Amino acid sequence: MLRLVLGVCAVALAWEAAVPLLGIRPHILPRLSAVASAVLATPAAYRDGFLRTLAETLIGFSAGAAFGVLIAVAFFRLRALRELVFPIFVVSQTIPVIAFGALVVLWFGNTLLAKATIAFYLTFFPVAVNALLGFEAVDPRQVALLRSFGASPRQILLRLHLPAALPQIFVALRLAASLSLVGAIVGEWFGDTTGLGVLLLQAMYNENVVGLWAALLACALLGTGFYAAVAALERRLVFWRAEQ
């Protein structure tokens, strides 16, 4: 954590000093102090936008992660279901998120649910694929050993397959932490009044470079914090990897 803070401070100082020293034009890269001033000029807009996008991202990410694990369990247990449904999921992921987002907004309107649904769409598939790979990587001899002690299929799943798949699942969750944020922001581009995506669009249409950089930094802060939270949870739950 200390290294992260020091790294951020170093980048901030380098940014602030490099703009005047290198003669970078403000319409290309404004000074960090100018970006901070833009945020402080309208703090409520950035606070409300940050919280709205955070809510959309968290809801979509949580639902997508849970659904991804559950559908992986179903695919693992029922091969016929996997062969029937999995190709449909693969095809669904080839649809550009911007096109899928337009359809979702038509279904649900410009609501928080619509934005969370787009975040869900980008989250569940990598989680499902990695969870399934983790389940299938378990040594069959371990399964046979637990069965010899009278373990039920549910106990084998919870005490062997799921812990074994956790490292793979968290690989997908770290990826999905960024993808779900992308989904929420893209959803806001279809029309909304609050959110970081709205701030990005407003700054772009007004050719407000300082405002655009302020919104980008807010997105980076949210994405970095979300990724760090997932990584911290991984260190807590997949503790045996840190011990290796």
Side-chain angles (χ1 to χ4, degrees):
M1 186 63 181
L2 179 60
R3 287 183 295 178
L4 176 61
V5 173
L6 292 175
V8 170
C9 291
V11 171
L13 291 173
W15 181 352
E16 180 69 15
V19 173
L21 288 176
L22 299 178
I24 302 175
R25 296 179 180 180
H27 73 274
I28 296 177
L29 179 65
R31 296 178 66 169
L32 181 58
S33 56
V35 176
S37 297
V39 175
L40 294 176
T42 55
Y46 287 93
R47 180 199 64 214
D48 295 344
F50 187 93
L51 293 177
R52 174 60 181 258
T53 303
L54 173 62
E56 296 163 352
T57 303
L58 281 176
I59 293 171
F61 176 85
S62 301
F67 180 77
V69 173
L70 289 176
I71 201 66
V73 171
F75 286 166
F76 180 65
R77 291 284 184 82
L78 304 170
R79 183 169 294 273
L81 179 65
R82 185 200 312 187
E83 294 175 353
L84 178 66
V85 177
F86 190 77
I88 299 175
F89 284 172
V90 173
V91 171
S92 74
Q93 295 299 304
T94 65
I95 301 173
V97 64
I98 198 78
F100 179 77
L103 182 61
V104 170
V105 171
L106 285 176
W107 285 342
F108 301 110
N110 285 315
T111 61
L112 187 148
L113 176 61
K115 315 307 186 290
T117 300
I118 301 171
F120 166 90
Y121 167 75
L122 293 178
T123 298
F124 86 88
F125 187 73
V127 173
V129 170
N130 278 39
L132 184 59
L133 289 174
F135 294 154
E136 293 182 334
V138 172
D139 191 335
R141 292 174 296 182
Q142 293 178 305
V143 177
L145 178 62
L146 286 180
R147 283 176 178 166
S148 69
F149 284 103
S152 66
R154 180 174 177 273
Q155 290 174 320
I156 294 174
L157 174 67
L158 295 177
R159 298 189 180 185
L160 178 59
H161 286 105
L162 187 58
L166 276 180
Q168 289 276 64
I169 291 173
F170 269 101
V171 169
L173 289 178
R174 282 188 273 115
L175 172 63
S178 298
L179 292 177
S180 58
L181 176 59
V182 170
I185 290 174
V186 168
E188 292 169 352
W189 287 351
F190 289 100
D192 210 328
T193 57
T194 308
L196 297 181
V198 176
L199 294 175
L200 283 167
L201 276 185
Q202 290 174 345
M204 184 180 69
Y205 287 145
N206 295 325
E207 297 183 357
N208 181 0
V209 177
V210 174
L212 186 60
W213 276 100
L216 286 173
L217 283 181
C219 292
L221 177 63
L222 176 54
T224 301
F226 197 16
Y227 184 94
V230 173
L233 183 63
E234 179 181 14
R235 288 192 296 271
R236 185 175 182 84
L237 295 181
V238 195
F239 54 86
W240 58 88
R241 296 188 75 181
E243 296 174 353
Q244 293 177 354

